[in-house]
Amino acid sequence: MLLAKTFKSSTFRLAMIAIGAFGLIVSAIFAYVYWSTLSYVRDRSDRTIMTEQASLADAYARSGRDGLTALIAQRVADKGFADHVYLLVGPGSTVLAGNLRQWPAGAAEKGWAEFRASLPQLSSGTSLLRGVTETLSNGDRLLVGRDISDLDGFMAQIRAAGIAVVVLIIGLAAAASIGVTRRTVGRIESINATSRAIMLSGLDQRIPLRGSHDEWDRVAENLNLMLDRIQTLMGDVKQVSENIAHDLRTPLTRMRGRLEKAYHAPRSGEGDAALIGDTIADLDAVLGMFASITRISEIETRARKGAFRTVNLVEIAGEVVELYDAAAEQVTTRLDLAGDQAVLVTGDRDLLFDAIANLVDNAIKHGRPGGRVTVTCDNDERGAVISIADDGPGIPADQRDRVFKRFYRLEQSRYTPGNGLGLSLVAAVASLHGARIELHDNAPGLLCRLVFPAAET
């Protein structure tokens, strides 16, 4: 099964194309080396033959046939010229001198020729000979050549070695390609199997790692991290859906109860007016919830960056403190503004106002009655910082990352006022402005910091 998929994979096809191209390149290189070597060796042999022919021709020019015959006999007797071939024949093809018995059938009267013939110094067999022929002025024909059997054998060995090397390289490359392709297909099939298991059973499956720390393990790690993120998001969606259903059920149930009671009760002007007012208030709460969701989504899509300007956090914080001063007095909470006189950031003034207002509102609601809420604006080495501190019960350390999720509330029964969207809006505004949110223990209470990058000047 895996082998069949290996041969059908695009990786294998690409590998075969690469092997084919590589084989052609290697074959071309080998052919070039072979023909270059052959040409070089033959040129050296031919130059030796031409030099010897010139010597014999010079002897003929000086001493005629007798001098040439004597020189040929001297050369044949000399062991230093054992690989040389000489033949001088008369007009009737009568052998006059040399170490060949007759004129070779494949040799013309003038020019180069290769032929096989028996040499007297060899006990048996024939040799491959190469020589040059010419016709002398008296009609005699002269052949001067060399035994190139060794050259022919050498080139045959080069051919055999080259072919063996090419076949070996292509074979090894093919085997390596099949092995690599099988490994690649195997890892891909592992990912595919996990994907199918996820589709069938859920997001709890993960791609197995082999511990090799190679690129496939890195891909598997990233995919597993993506699956973790998807599983977390799906859990958040499930939790948000349940929270929305819970938060909507209470006002909708109240509205239905009132309408049903009014339907069965006699008409009363004051009672109807009160019912309509209560119903409108519940509907406003529901519409406000959906408006908050829409606004958070709008902020998260970065649709509000066109309104960015250089603003002073101190001015915005001062307006928020002034707005919530009356609400703080109702629960005898002291609301103060402290810090520098000018803390500049680049951002959307309205969104920053809403974010600070949500943090101050939470501090007043969840702080200690009769306590203190302090809003502080500072400039430090990290940038612009606004802090909101209260002296209430605070937030447990293990839940500080969760409170910024939509509809998340520390009070799980969800009977207290609110919908769990305030801190989600703060997180969205902070992300839009490139700010960092920090939650710390105020001992007692909670200290929330928004750290902004300094405004560009």
Side-chain angles (χ1 to χ4, degrees), residues 116-265:
R116 289 190 174 274
S118 298
L119 294 176
Q121 59 265 37
L122 297 179
S123 58
S124 62
T126 59
S127 300
L128 180 64
L129 308 175
R130 178 174 173 82
V132 62
T133 62
E134 67 173 323
T135 302
L136 302 177
S137 58
N138 63 354
D140 294 345
R141 287 180 293 170
L142 175 65
L143 184 150
V144 181
R146 293 187 67 185
D147 183 355
I148 60 171
S149 298
D150 291 343
L151 171 62
D152 187 57
F154 172 68
M155 298 311 298
Q157 289 180 350
I158 291 181
R159 284 195 302 271
I163 294 173
V165 169
V166 170
V167 172
L168 179 62
I169 290 176
I170 294 177
L172 290 176
S177 299
I178 293 174
V180 171
T181 304
R182 279 175 61 88
R183 181 175 180 273
T184 301
V185 172
R187 297 303 294 269
I188 292 174
E189 281 302 304
S190 176
I191 295 174
N192 288 336
T194 303
S195 301
R196 288 190 292 268
I198 289 172
M199 288 186 287
L200 292 174
S201 60
L203 289 171
D204 57 337
Q205 301 288 328
R206 291 296 179 269
I207 300 170
L209 302 179
R210 296 187 177 180
S212 57
H213 304 291
D214 58 4
E215 65 279 4
W216 284 107
D217 260 11
R218 291 196 294 272
V219 169
E221 288 174 358
N222 289 332
L223 290 175
N224 287 339
L225 290 174
M226 182 181 68
L227 290 171
D228 291 339
R229 178 61 176 161
I230 292 173
Q231 189 174 25
T232 300
L233 292 175
M234 293 299 293
D236 291 344
V237 169
K238 181 177 180 294
Q239 184 65 40
V240 167
S241 301
E242 292 174 354
N243 292 339
I244 291 176
H246 195 287
D247 287 344
L248 290 180
R249 182 174 58 191
T250 300
L252 292 176
T253 300
R254 286 201 302 264
M255 283 188 284
R256 187 185 185 285
R258 293 192 199 102
L259 291 174
E260 186 175 3
K261 183 178 179 181
Y263 178 77
H264 294 290

Side-chain angles (χ1 to χ4, degrees), residues 99-120:
N99 53 3
L100 291 179
R101 297 184 178 88
Q102 60 183 5
W103 189 265
E109 294 185 358
K110 186 176 182 180
W112 290 94
E114 286 188 10
F115 52 90
R116 289 190 174 274
S118 298
L119 294 176

Side-chain angles (χ1 to χ4, degrees), residues 21 23 81 257 305 350 355 403 416:
F81 293 85
K305 276 206 168 184
D350 294 337
V403 294
T416 57

Side-chain angles (χ1 to χ4, degrees), residues 39-57:
S39 175
Y40 173 75
V41 175
R42 282 200 171 183
D43 284 347
R44 289 191 61 181
S45 177
D46 289 351
R47 282 196 298 271
T48 302
I49 293 173
M50 293 296 295
T51 301
E52 186 65 13
Q53 182 196 33
S55 297
L56 295 178

Side-chain angles (χ1 to χ4, degrees), residues 313-314 338-345 376-387 435-436 438 440 447-455:
L313 283 180
V314 178
D340 298 337
Q341 295 299 316
V343 179
L344 302 180
V345 298
T376 306
C377 299
D378 291 307
N379 290 295
D380 62 19
E381 67 278 359
R382 297 178 297 174
V385 181
I386 181 169
S387 306
R436 186 173 70 255
E438 299 176 355
H440 301 283
L447 174 62
C448 178
R449 286 198 185 104
L450 288 179
V451 183
F452 293 85

Side-chain angles (χ1 to χ4, degrees), residues 278-339:
D278 293 338
T279 303
I280 289 175
D282 285 337
L283 286 173
D284 286 342
V286 173
L287 293 174
M289 182 190 304
F290 286 109
S292 298
I293 295 174
T294 303
R295 193 167 190 209
I296 292 171
S297 299
E298 177 188 356
I299 295 171
E300 289 177 341
T301 57
R302 306 294 195 267
R304 293 289 297 266
K305 276 206 168 184
F308 274 28
R309 302 289 185 274
T310 300
V311 296
N312 188 354
L313 283 180
V314 178
E315 294 180 0
I316 300 173
E319 295 176 7
V320 172
V321 169
E322 183 179 353
L323 176 66
Y324 279 90
D325 188 56
E329 287 182 358
Q330 290 181 357
V331 292
T332 64
T333 296
R334 182 179 174 182
L335 181 59
D336 297 323
L337 177 63

